[in-house]
């Protein structure tokens, strides 16, 4: 055995290790991560939209003893409550031993994902085919959304207020839908377009039928036939699309990737890959010293605006309601609170390393990723976390033996993006971004590592407990 050189010893003491952390990771942790991913994949399959994610989360929460928060009722340490925001966002809280005035611990993830929303008047017939017009939701590379099987999810709300849930295309025996692309043989002109213009917004038309209603006098008989099917199945007419929220999402189920099954491929992992660990963490804590809140938000992908997004006062009032219930000052409670803004980061792709700065990028299997700031063009539109708070979270992660890394969202001026962190920071709460690195973010199938997902859960549990 040769002794370590002085330089090797010093390096160990002074450098951040760049070694693959999985080389020395206990097999038992990897096994736990694989086990954890099973529940996560089930969640992904059932929760493709924010409404479905809220429904699945509420069902799991009720099994875990959560009840709807009622103003005027008293809750004691260890009690579990939830705040349902219109079925599209939800906050789960476990009441702590200390009063809310001492601050609460918040994990915030989003449950909306990029997709193709139907326009208010979606259905039309052209050249004997029936199609839906769509308006894409969130930042997508539009060409990726053609020629992949799609499912239709969402709700019709009738004038009398009744809600009709729709989900077609997920089960094996159900029909699916598709956006068509031009064949390469005739794409000579299309191929000259830039990649971002390769498929245009108004070309994201979804094929939904081709059989005409049996009648030889009228026009629009294919459209009529589709509306007739929808009327028979759901009791809706063309008017009911006006008060509907329907979208097309990839019809695929979550699957393992790789011979070693180490990764997960699925639609909507941004940001259910943080929402699910946040949910599991808040389910698993017993009686926390500080009240723990997991908020699953809507609308992040379009800027967090709207009353179900975190640029609203939803979270503020959740903390207020808990503070008021305990008879303490809500402003002090908010000011003393801290948050992990749990959202994905871009994992470095060996095929496209040029967009990353390798010393400040995140990598698959290097654990949960801490991001001090996001934004674009010189840290614009971000909450740049305070060093003091970053130090606190560093100490927590290292103290609990959680594998973590740090990463920026790409090279300076390569592009950029944001999270809900800045909206929570605007309330005066300490916030740091923490989440799972993702490959192919915002594509119909996104890729994560089971190990990183599990480390995200461990970080959130540690933060809330
Ligand atoms: Mn996200
Ligand atoms: Mn996103």
């Amino acid at each position: 055995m040769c002794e370590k050189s002085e330089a090797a010893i010093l390096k160990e003491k002074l450098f951040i290790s760049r070694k693959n952390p999985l080389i020395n990771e206990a097999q038992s942790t990897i096994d736990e991560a694989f086990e954890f991913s099973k529940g996560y994949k089930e969640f992904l399959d059932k929760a493709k939209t924010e409404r479905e994610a809220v429904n699945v989360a509420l069902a799991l929460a009720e099994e875990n003893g959560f009840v709807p928060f009622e103003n005027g009722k008293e809750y004691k340490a260890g009690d579990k409550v939830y705040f349902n925001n219109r079925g599209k966002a939800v906050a789960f809280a476990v009441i702590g031993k200390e009063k809310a005035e001492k601050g609460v611990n918040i994990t915030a993830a989003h449950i909306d994902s990029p997709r193709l929303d139907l326009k208010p008047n979606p259905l039309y017939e052209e050249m004997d085919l029936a199609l839906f017009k769509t308006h894409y939701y969130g930042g997508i590379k539009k060409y990726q959304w053609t020629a992949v099987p799609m499912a239709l999810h969402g709700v019709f709300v009738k004038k009398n207020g009744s809600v009709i849930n729709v989900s077609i295309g997920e089960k094996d025996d159900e029909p699916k839908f598709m956006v068509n692309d031009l064949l390469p043989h005739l794409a000579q002109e299309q191929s000259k377009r830039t990649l971002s213009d390769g498929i245009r917004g108004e070309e994201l038309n979804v094929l939904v039928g081709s059989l005409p209603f049996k009648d030889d006098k009228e026009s629009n008989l294919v459209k009529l036939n589709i509306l007739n099917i929808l009327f028979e199945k759901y009791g809706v007419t063309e008017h009911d699309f006006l008060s509907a929220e329907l979208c097309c999402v990839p019809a695929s189920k979550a699957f393992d990737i790789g011979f070693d099954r180490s990764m997960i491929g699925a639609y909507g992992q941004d940001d259910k890959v943080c929402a699910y660990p946040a949910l599991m963490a808040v389910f698993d804590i017993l009686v926390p010293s500080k009240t723990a809140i997991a908020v699953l938000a809507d609308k992040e992908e379009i800027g967090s605006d709207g009353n179900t997004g975190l640029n609203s006062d939803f979270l503020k009032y959740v903390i207020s309601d808990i503070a008021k219930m305990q008879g303490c000052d809500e402003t002090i409670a908010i000011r003393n609170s801290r948050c992990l803004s749990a959202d994905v980061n871009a994992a470095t792709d060996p095929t496209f390393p040029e967009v990353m700065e390798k010393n400040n990028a995140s990598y698959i299997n290097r654990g949960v990723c801490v991001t001090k700031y996001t934004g674009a063009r010189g840290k614009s539109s971000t909450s740049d976390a305070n060093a003091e708070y970053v130090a606190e979270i560093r100490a927590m992660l290292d103290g609990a033996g959680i594998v973590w890394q740090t990463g920026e969202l790409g090279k300076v001026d390569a592009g950029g993006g944001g999270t809900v962190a800045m909206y929570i920071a605007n309330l005066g709460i300490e916030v740091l971004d923490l989440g799972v690195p993702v490959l192919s973010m915002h594509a119909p199938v996104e890729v994560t590592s089971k190990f990183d997902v599990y480390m995200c859960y461990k970080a959130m549990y540690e933060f809330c407990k």
Side-chain angles (χ1 to χ4, degrees):
M1 281 239 294
C2 61
E3 279 195 12
K4 276 184 187 168
S5 70
E6 196 183 343
I9 294 165
L10 261 182
K11 273 187 178 173
E12 225 166 78
K13 179 174 155 190
L14 300 177
F15 278 19
I16 291 177
S17 168
R18 302 276 174 199
K19 267 202 318 211
N20 183 341
L22 285 191
I23 295 168
N24 292 320
E25 191 56 60
Q27 186 55 43
S28 59
T29 310
I30 301 188
D31 293 343
E32 283 164 28
F34 275 51
E35 196 56 38
F36 187 81
S37 75
K38 289 181 188 164
Y40 171 49
K41 283 186 285 181
E42 276 175 35
F43 181 76
L44 284 168
D45 291 343
K46 290 188 209 148
K48 292 204 170 178
T49 65
E50 62 279 356
R51 285 176 189 269
E52 290 167 354
V54 167
N55 287 341
V56 177
L58 284 178
L60 290 170
E62 282 175 359
E63 278 172 32
N64 279 276
F66 283 77
V67 294
F69 181 89
E70 286 177 53
N71 274 309
K73 250 195 171 171
E74 249 191 66
Y75 299 93
K76 54 180 197 315
D79 282 354
K80 301 165 167 189
V81 293
Y82 65 80
F83 302 74
N84 181 352
N85 184 352
R86 298 169 170 84
K88 297 167 77 172
V90 62
F92 297 96
V94 182
I95 307 296
K97 289 179 218 152
E98 292 175 8
K99 287 203 169 174
E101 244 170 22
K102 301 273 184 196
V104 302
N105 289 327
I106 305 153
T107 51
H110 68 89
I111 46 177
D112 60 316
S113 299
R115 63 191 186 217
L116 305 181
D117 280 348
L118 299 201
K119 290 189 183 188
N121 268 319
L123 184 61
Y124 69 103
E125 176 176 337
E126 196 79 60
M127 300 176 191
D128 297 336
L129 294 175
L131 300 111
F132 279 153
K133 291 302 293 181
T134 67
H135 195 141
Y136 65 94
Y137 175 97
I140 59 168
K141 292 166 90 174
K142 295 186 261 300
Y143 71 88
Q144 293 179 333
W145 293 69
T146 63
V148 291
M150 305 283 267
L152 181 70
H153 289 239
V155 293
F156 285 104
V157 183
K158 306 267 287 179
K159 280 201 281 187
N160 65 8
S162 62
V163 178
I164 298 149
N165 286 299
V166 176
S167 170
I168 310 174
E170 296 294 347
K171 298 191 183 121
D172 288 342
D173 60 343
E174 284 177 344
K176 296 177 183 21
F177 309 94
M178 203 172 95
V179 175
N180 285 295
D181 195 359
L182 202 49
L183 63 169
H185 317 65
L186 297 178
Q188 211 169 311
E189 284 307 311
Q190 186 197 31
S191 302
K192 290 178 193 155
R193 298 182 187 176
T194 59
L195 190 61
S196 65
D197 195 39
I199 289 288
R200 297 176 178 142
E202 293 294 352
E203 291 169 347
L204 290 170
N205 303 319
V206 182
L207 186 61
V208 299
S210 65
L211 286 182
F213 189 81
K214 291 260 189 285
D215 190 315
D216 52 11
K217 290 184 276 296
E218 300 291 324
S219 62
N220 269 324
L221 293 175
V222 180
K223 174 177 169 177
L224 178 64
N225 193 45
I226 296 300
L227 280 174
N228 194 37
I229 291 170
L230 291 175
F231 184 76
E232 281 174 359
K233 192 167 162 75
Y234 301 112
V236 295
T237 70
E238 194 173 15
H239 299 279
D240 293 311
F241 280 99
L242 299 174
S243 52
E245 286 176 5
L246 294 161
C247 62
C248 284
V249 296
S252 57
K253 286 192 163 55
F255 53 93
D256 287 347
I257 291 189
F259 291 111
D260 56 11
R261 310 185 80 105
S262 58
M263 293 166 283
I264 299 163
Y267 163 71
Q269 295 205 70
D270 173 7
D271 184 33
K272 279 117 192 171
V273 75
C274 297
Y276 181 77
L279 201 56
M280 292 302 114
V282 84
F283 289 171
D284 288 348
I285 50 172
L286 299 168
V287 188
S289 44
K290 289 191 170 147
T291 293
I293 299 175
V295 54
L296 309 185
D298 181 26
K299 296 283 179 277
E300 194 279 339
E301 294 297 355
I302 55 168
S304 292
D305 291 319
N307 58 15
T308 53
L310 279 184
N311 198 11
S312 73
D313 283 336
F314 170 52
L315 178 60
K316 181 176 152 185
Y317 290 134
V318 166
I319 304 171
S320 288
D321 281 352
I322 293 170
K324 279 189 282 185
M325 178 272 293
Q326 295 176 331
C328 55
D329 189 293
E330 48 192 307
T331 316
I332 298 175
I334 290 167
R335 202 181 294 143
N336 285 335
S337 293
R338 44 177 218 156
C339 174
L340 290 179
S341 160
D343 207 344
V344 298
N345 203 323
T348 305
D349 186 333
T351 308
F352 304 103
E354 64 279 4
V355 297
M356 295 298 184
E357 187 269 286
K358 64 180 190 304
N359 292 328
N360 289 282
S362 65
Y363 300 85
I364 288 287
N365 276 342
R366 294 199 174 192
V368 67
C369 179
V370 169
T371 303
K372 190 169 179 293
Y373 50 83
T374 58
R377 300 171 314 280
K379 297 192 176 182
S380 189
S381 292
T382 184
S383 155
D384 191 347
N386 297 309
E388 289 83 349
Y389 185 49
V390 182
E392 191 179 314
I393 300 301
R394 256 182 74 199
M396 177 197 86
L397 295 169
D398 287 342
I402 293 161
V403 179
W404 65 282
Q405 56 184 323
T406 188
E408 284 197 36
L409 187 65
K411 268 184 182 166
V412 176
D413 290 342
T419 65
V420 298
M422 62 176 175
Y423 305 110
I424 295 167
N426 287 346
L427 297 173
I429 295 171
E430 287 291 357
V431 189
L432 179 61
D433 275 302
L434 175 145
V436 176
V438 176
L439 290 169
S440 287
M441 195 196 294
H442 286 203
V445 174
E446 302 170 305
V447 180
T448 60
S449 115
K450 292 180 180 176
F451 179 73
D452 297 337
V453 180
Y454 187 53
M455 287 299 130
C456 183
Y457 160 77
K458 301 249 291 183
M460 285 166 165
Y461 178 79
E462 202 58 32
F463 181 76
C464 295
K465 77 165 192 217

